[in-house]
Amino acid sequence: MATLQDIARLAGVSTATVSRTLSNPGLVAEATRAAVLAAVEQTGYQVNHAARNLRMQRAGSIIALVPNLANPFFSQILAGISSVLTPEGFGLLVADTQAGPDPDSRLRQYLRGGVADGLILFDGNLSLAALDVPDSPPVVAACEWLGDTLPSVRVENAHGAELAVRHLFDAGHRTIGYLTGPKGNVLNVTRQEGYLAALATLGLPSNQAWIYEGDFSLDSGAMAAARWIADPMRPGAMFCASDEMACGFMGAIQRAGLHVPRDVSVIGFDNIEVAAHMTPTLTTIRQPRTLIGERAANMLLKMIATKSINIETEIIPVELVERSSVANPAHASRALVTQN
Amino acid sequence: MATLQDIARLAGVSTATVSRTLSNPGLVAEATRAAVLAAVEQTGYQVNHAARNLRMQRAGSIIALVPNLANPFFSQILAGISSVLTPEGFGLLVADTQAGPDPDSRLRQYLRGGVADGLILFDGNLSLAALDVPDSPPVVAACEWLGDTLPSVRVENAHGAELAVRHLFDAGHRTIGYLTGPKGNVLNVTRQEGYLAALATLGLPSNQAWIYEGDFSLDSGAMAAARWIADPMRPGAMFCASDEMACGFMGAIQRAGLHVPRDVSVIGFDNIEVAAHMTPTLTTIRQPRTLIGERAANMLLKMIATKSINIETEIIPVELVERSSVANPAHASRALVTQN
DNA sequence: AGAAGCGATGTAATCGATTTCAACGGGGAC
DNA sequence: GTCCCCGTTGAAATCGATTACATCGCTTCT
């Protein structure tokens, strides 16, 4: 491995000049710069990050803390983050908040340790108190958020819910249920508020019995389907707080011999990749995941560069993706009759 | 941020002693050790990784190079890697081979740069030549592999294919097709060999026309379905080289008004999470993804620790997961009759 | 008694890049 | 002609942890 010293010797200049050529080329004369760059080219020199980071008092990486690394939802977001970080010379460290025993203390450890120059937090369940660490690097919340003391990147959650409910309404539905995320989760709370607000503006009844509990997972969607089937007062359409739950819900409904959208219309949230390939294809609210990652990374880099903490909230638009899991209930009944 | 010096001063010893207490406690006397640890406790000291890495001539992280970070298949594997690396003080860097313009040169850059102490490669399409870099850190191939000059962790791909074909055979199928992965991909080649071998041992005909081209993606599965439908000589069962393709295939089949497994039995490979929630639920070959990640990480750590390159290949068993996308073709026809 | 051995600890060099400060040479202003 | 300034460059300090080597007491062996 060639070092700065080697380049300096080869180019007949001092290490200071080499360093300047690489990081602040405006300061060195044209001819010298050429000589240095030639030496760099010849040796295939690459900076030693450990040395640079030590000298510059930084860690050279940022951490993404996700609630569950095994959840495919995050992979695309990570790709977005990575694409912004890499050109800036930062590495992306990923860690799982659920992996260890005590998420809060692990978070605190990351903040204190100088392990990273910044942190992107995807888990809204951590305690705000854990963030209160002296000299902690900047933190950006993404997707989920904690209070309003942290800069964050999120999507139009309530608006997405309203889009979903209005779409079901436009299709002719008047009884619309909601399949929730984990109790207390900010995304879930906000989407549920959007759901209730939309019902209100549309003059539709809301009914506590139409709210089914879930936790965003496939399995919880399937379990909710069983409760839906057993419910004599069940709504004719379900807005699910995540696509995974919507998929689980539809799967279980159909395994029970019922049909989507004939017997129940379903709409999800996220637009995960399989949504377009389910039977029926899933109507949903699209979240631009790569964009979320990019924005969060950019926001964090800006905070690192300026050493300032401006608590801004970036809201990313969502949109309805119409597919075939929603139908007019009247038509559906007719179809039911002909089919039998 | 407290440094080693601070601890040394506080405990009334030298930095050498503090360092030893932390990394090799056996070398220091009981009493001194206690004093040092008390000082560490009091200040909340954490090592500066940049300094340690510089001194120890290592990067402190390993890179996972995946062909496509946005592919959910990898998230669980990354979780497995991460769980092994974190306790050992290594960070996990993730990078996407497809993100930039020239994957090979990016790979070479990672190897040369001292950016990482090791590399886990999930992309079998890179050229072996790109790996030939002086002083490159150890590399482990996982899932896919390149030639046999690299240690690797993989699953029983051919055996998985045989399990799949035999299962279809046992269900009564005699015409069994194969939906391929990308041409030239090692996983695809191996699974196809397993498929052909199984046909041969079962005394079944093989037919070039029954081999449909795909590339592991959902969309390619859907496109293959269109070709299958248009094919007068189509096989009665399809073994798909990936679950994503199987999902895409089933979805498109059913959107065309046909039914799985009534009109065609389908079996996938991977056991991705949604497989159990598709309509119908997807019979498939399970790959233990977390385990793959853990094994690859352990193998790499061993190589880093011993500085040796022993070219071992670890093969991880797969198993058939029976669900409901496979049916006896005779029964299926009967069901068809009753249903209409 | 003297040498040798051993456990515990300190001194100081070292990793490689960045950056402050000083120095140098030449051009323009007075 | 002298002075000053500016562009360019180099010498050397610095970041924080690790570790080879030296040192110092003591015990133990001959």
Side-chain angles (χ1 to χ4, degrees):
Chain A
M1 278 302 310
T3 72
L4 256 201
Q5 303 260 13
D6 300 330
I7 307 298
R9 206 173 310 124
L10 203 64
V13 297
S14 72
T15 61
T17 302
V18 178
S19 178
R20 281 190 282 252
T21 307
L22 266 30
S23 56
N24 208 342
L27 292 179
V28 333
E30 178 65 38
T32 331
R33 196 191 314 160
V36 171
L37 291 179
V40 168
E41 188 70 25
Q42 182 185 331
T43 55
Y45 168 79
Q46 304 230 159
V47 294
N48 179 318
H49 284 89
R52 160 181 287 174
N53 292 336
L54 171 58
R55 177 58 224 236
M56 298 181 79
Q57 298 282 68
R58 54 171 230 184
S61 58
I62 77 107
I63 295 190
L65 266 183
V66 302
N68 175 11
L69 237 185
N71 182 342
F73 181 77
F74 292 108
S75 47
Q76 219 163 17
I77 295 182
L78 291 181
I81 297 176
S82 183
S83 72
V84 170
L85 251 36
T86 309
E88 298 292 328
F90 283 88
L92 170 60
L93 256 37
V94 283
D96 198 319
T97 54
Q98 305 295 312
D102 182 358
D104 277 355
S105 77
R106 273 162 49 87
L107 169 56
R108 212 178 277 115
Q109 186 184 343
Y110 286 129
L111 289 173
R112 223 183 3 182
V115 190
D117 302 310
L119 202 145
I120 302 181
L121 196 56
F122 289 92
D123 189 340
N125 287 327
L126 298 171
S127 84
L128 265 172
L131 288 167
D132 189 22
V133 168
D135 314 312
S136 90
V139 177
V140 168
C143 293
E144 308 192 359
W145 62 94
L146 294 82
D148 45 7
T149 57
L150 227 50
S152 72
V153 175
R154 51 181 102 158
V155 301
E156 302 170 325
N157 287 291
H159 179 60
E162 286 161 18
L163 283 178
V165 171
R166 175 170 290 275
H167 180 68
L168 291 169
F169 179 86
D170 290 345
H173 286 280
R174 295 300 176 266
T175 58
I176 300 174
Y178 175 62
L179 177 45
T180 77
K183 200 174 272 186
N185 176 286
V186 285
L187 297 179
N188 175 51
V189 169
T190 312
R191 289 173 194 171
Q192 183 164 342
E193 285 168 4
Y195 156 78
L196 292 173
L199 290 184
T201 52
L202 293 171
L204 292 183
S206 73
N207 185 334
Q208 186 57 40
W210 293 346
I211 295 184
Y212 293 78
E213 263 188 44
D215 62 8
F216 287 148
S217 74
L218 279 160
D219 287 338
S220 76
M223 281 159 49
R227 296 198 301 277
W228 182 89
I229 290 168
D231 186 351
M233 301 289 287
R234 63 199 182 203
M238 286 297 293
F239 164 47
C240 305
S242 80
D243 274 4
E244 298 226 316
M245 285 195 300
C247 292
F249 185 86
M250 292 200 307
I253 288 288
Q254 298 186 120
R255 256 170 282 138
L258 300 174
H259 289 250
V260 178
R262 191 188 68 191
D263 300 314
V264 57
S265 284
V266 175
I267 183 165
F269 204 113
D270 287 347
N271 193 33
I272 64 177
E273 233 194 331
V274 276
H277 297 269
M278 299 300 292
T279 302
T281 57
L282 178 64
T283 294
T284 189
I285 305 295
R286 189 176 85 91
Q287 286 198 56
R289 295 203 286 290
T290 309
L291 192 64
I292 295 173
E294 290 170 357
R295 292 290 171 81
N298 276 320
M299 189 179 282
L300 189 60
L301 285 182
K302 201 173 67 184
M303 290 171 67
I304 292 172
T306 64
K307 293 189 202 310
S308 65
I309 315 165
N310 38 353
I311 302 173
E312 51 183 324
T313 298
E314 192 158 340
I315 308 258
I316 294 179
V318 297
E319 66 189 26
L320 178 75
V321 180
E322 249 187 281
R323 298 210 181 89
S324 46
S325 59
V326 172
N328 184 306
H331 294 178
S333 323
R334 224 178 302 139
L336 182 90
V337 172
T338 54
Q339 178 150 359
N340 284 6
Chain B
M1 280 302 310
T3 72
L4 256 201
Q5 303 259 14
D6 300 330
I7 307 297
R9 205 173 310 124
L10 202 64
V13 298
S14 73
T15 62
T17 301
V18 178
S19 178
R20 280 190 281 253
T21 308
L22 266 29
S23 55
N24 207 342
L27 292 180
V28 336
E30 180 64 37
T32 333
R33 197 190 313 159
V36 170
L37 291 179
V40 167
E41 189 71 25
Q42 182 185 330
T43 56
Y45 168 80
Q46 304 233 158
V47 293
N48 179 319
H49 283 88
R52 160 183 287 175
N53 292 335
L54 171 59
R55 177 58 226 237
M56 297 182 78
Q57 297 283 70
R58 57 170 228 185
S61 58
I62 78 107
I63 295 190
L65 266 182
V66 303
N68 176 11
L69 238 185
N71 182 342
F73 181 76
F74 291 108
S75 46
Q76 220 163 20
I77 295 182
L78 291 181
I81 297 176
S82 183
S83 71
V84 170
L85 252 36
T86 309
E88 298 292 329
F90 282 89
L92 171 60
L93 257 35
V94 283
D96 197 320
T97 54
Q98 305 294 311
D102 181 358
D104 277 355
S105 76
R106 273 163 47 87
L107 169 57
R108 213 179 276 115
Q109 186 185 341
Y110 286 128
L111 289 173
R112 223 181 5 180
V115 190
D117 302 310
L119 202 145
I120 301 180
L121 196 55
F122 289 93
D123 189 341
N125 288 326
L126 297 171
S127 84
L128 264 173
L131 287 167
D132 188 22
V133 167
D135 315 312
S136 89
V139 177
V140 168
C143 293
E144 307 192 1
W145 61 95
L146 295 83
D148 47 7
T149 57
L150 228 50
S152 71
V153 175
R154 50 180 103 160
V155 301
E156 301 169 326
N157 286 291
H159 179 60
E162 285 160 18
L163 283 178
V165 171
R166 175 171 291 275
H167 180 67
L168 292 169
F169 179 87
D170 289 345
H173 286 279
R174 294 301 177 265
T175 58
I176 299 175
Y178 175 61
L179 176 47
T180 76
K183 199 174 273 185
N185 176 285
V186 286
L187 297 179
N188 175 51
V189 170
T190 313
R191 289 173 195 173
Q192 184 164 341
E193 286 168 4
Y195 156 78
L196 292 172
L199 290 185
T201 51
L202 293 171
L204 292 183
S206 74
N207 185 334
Q208 186 58 38
W210 293 346
I211 295 185
Y212 292 78
E213 263 189 44
D215 62 8
F216 287 150
S217 74
L218 279 160
D219 287 338
S220 75
M223 282 159 49
R227 297 198 302 277
W228 181 90
I229 289 169
D231 186 352
M233 301 289 287
R234 63 199 183 201
M238 286 297 293
F239 163 48
C240 304
S242 81
D243 274 4
E244 296 226 316
M245 286 196 299
C247 292
F249 186 86
M250 291 201 306
I253 288 288
Q254 298 186 121
R255 256 170 282 138
L258 299 174
H259 289 251
V260 178
R262 192 189 65 192
D263 300 314
V264 56
S265 284
V266 174
I267 183 165
F269 204 113
D270 287 347
N271 193 32
I272 63 177
E273 234 194 329
V274 277
H277 297 269
M278 298 300 292
T279 303
T281 56
L282 178 64
T283 293
T284 189
I285 304 296
R286 189 176 86 91
Q287 288 197 55
R289 295 204 286 291
T290 308
L291 191 65
I292 294 172
E294 290 170 356
R295 291 291 171 80
N298 277 320
M299 190 180 280
L300 188 60
L301 285 182
K302 204 173 66 184
M303 289 172 69
I304 292 173
T306 64
K307 293 190 202 310
S308 65
I309 316 166
N310 38 352
I311 303 175
E312 52 183 326
T313 298
E314 191 157 341
I315 308 256
I316 294 179
V318 296
E319 66 189 26
L320 178 75
V321 180
E322 250 188 280
R323 298 212 180 89
S324 47
S325 60
V326 172
N328 184 307
H331 294 180
S333 323
R334 225 179 301 138
L336 182 89
V337 173
T338 54
Q339 178 150 358
N340 285 4

